[in-house]
Amino acid sequence: MISRRLFLLGISATALSACSTTRQPVVVEPTFDPYYVRMYGPVTDEPYMVAAMDLRRVDPQWWRQEVPYMTTERPGTLVVDTPAHYLYLVLEGGRALRYGIGVGKDEALVFRGNATIGRKAAWPRWTPTKSMIAREPDRYGPYANGMGPGPENPLGPRALYLYKNGADTLFRIHGTTEPYTIGTNVSSGCIRLMNQDIIDLYARVPVGARVTVINA
């Protein structure tokens, strides 16, 4: 007869054997259209490298795409729809190129209406506004005299500066060091695009282009 001790040892051995053959869950990585992988891949022909986007971290609704868009604005106009977190470059034939944007909670919500792109800058210098310094002096105070261009600059690789009646509105359309905040209201800044998107937009619009900003 099998002793109780041997019986229990047999159960233990069987349990251990079962555990050792249990398969671990297989994590299936998502696959992406090669078109978007190229669109948001690394940019290496710049003064500073622009890192590839991890598309797993940004909902596809915020990726750059051409969409139907009926508007009375003429082609070449930028429409910044801050409540919807989209920027549209109006095209011919009821179409637009749509970009996902991040919207600053303060600076981006103080301007609405029409303006023009008064200046463009590649790898711009950044200076925080007085309100930003007052709100977070420890964070922004050290940069009161500005920050030079580079990967850590909050404006990213490109910036479009909006003017009205010849004066700077302090409203900016620019890149970001926090690309995964696209589609949200962020703590500071104006209108942020993913860096690959602001490079694309910058190349498409000239100084003097009309901009209309929709705010809630």
Side-chain angles (χ1 to χ4, degrees):
M1 294 180 66
I2 301 174
S3 71
R4 176 178 174 81
R5 181 181 179 190
L6 290 175
F7 177 75
L8 293 174
L9 287 173
I11 291 176
S12 299
T14 302
L16 288 172
S17 175
C19 289
S20 66
T21 58
T22 300
R23 293 184 177 180
Q24 295 297 320
V26 176
V27 178
V28 179
E29 290 290 334
T31 58
F32 299 105
D33 186 329
Y35 172 77
Y36 287 105
V37 173
R38 290 192 298 271
M39 179 182 291
Y40 290 109
V43 182
T44 59
D45 58 349
E46 291 278 327
Y48 308 92
M49 180 176 174
V50 176
M53 283 292 304
D54 183 350
L55 295 178
R56 296 171 299 181
R57 299 181 61 186
V58 180
D59 192 289
Q61 68 176 311
W62 309 123
W63 301 354
R64 184 195 330 155
Q65 54 191 295
E66 187 175 318
V67 297
Y69 189 66
M70 300 306 298
T71 179
T72 58
E73 298 290 350
R74 62 182 182 270
T77 300
L78 296 183
V79 179
V80 182
D81 188 340
T82 57
H85 296 93
Y86 286 124
L87 181 152
Y88 297 89
L89 172 59
V90 180
L91 305 175
E92 300 277 358
R95 307 286 293 178
L97 197 56
R98 189 182 74 187
Y99 304 80
I101 60 174
V103 178
K105 290 181 179 178
D106 295 312
E107 285 80 4
L109 299 179
V110 298
F111 181 84
R112 59 173 51 86
N114 300 320
T116 59
I117 296 175
R119 184 165 74 91
K120 298 169 53 176
W123 293 102
R125 185 175 180 82
W126 168 73
T127 302
T129 63
K130 292 181 179 179
S131 63
M132 291 170 67
I133 296 172
R135 186 171 62 247
E136 298 184 69
D138 292 340
R139 181 178 181 183
Y140 296 117
Y143 305 109
N145 294 321
M147 176 190 289
E152 304 303 317
N153 187 301
L155 296 182
R158 303 287 190 275
L160 306 175
Y161 299 79
L162 272 62
Y163 282 59
K164 188 167 187 175
N165 299 323
D168 188 352
T169 65
L170 301 181
F171 192 98
R172 314 281 187 247
I173 300 170
H174 56 82
T176 181
T177 56
E178 301 174 322
Y180 309 114
T181 62
I182 298 302
T184 68
N185 286 3
V186 289
S187 61
S188 61
C190 288
I191 299 300
R192 305 180 182 189
L193 281 72
M194 288 182 277
N195 288 333
Q196 287 84 350
D197 283 347
I198 191 61
I199 290 172
D200 179 84
L201 180 65
Y202 181 97
R204 295 176 185 271
V205 295
V207 170
R210 174 181 167 85
V211 182
T212 184
V213 179
I214 301 169
N215 257 326

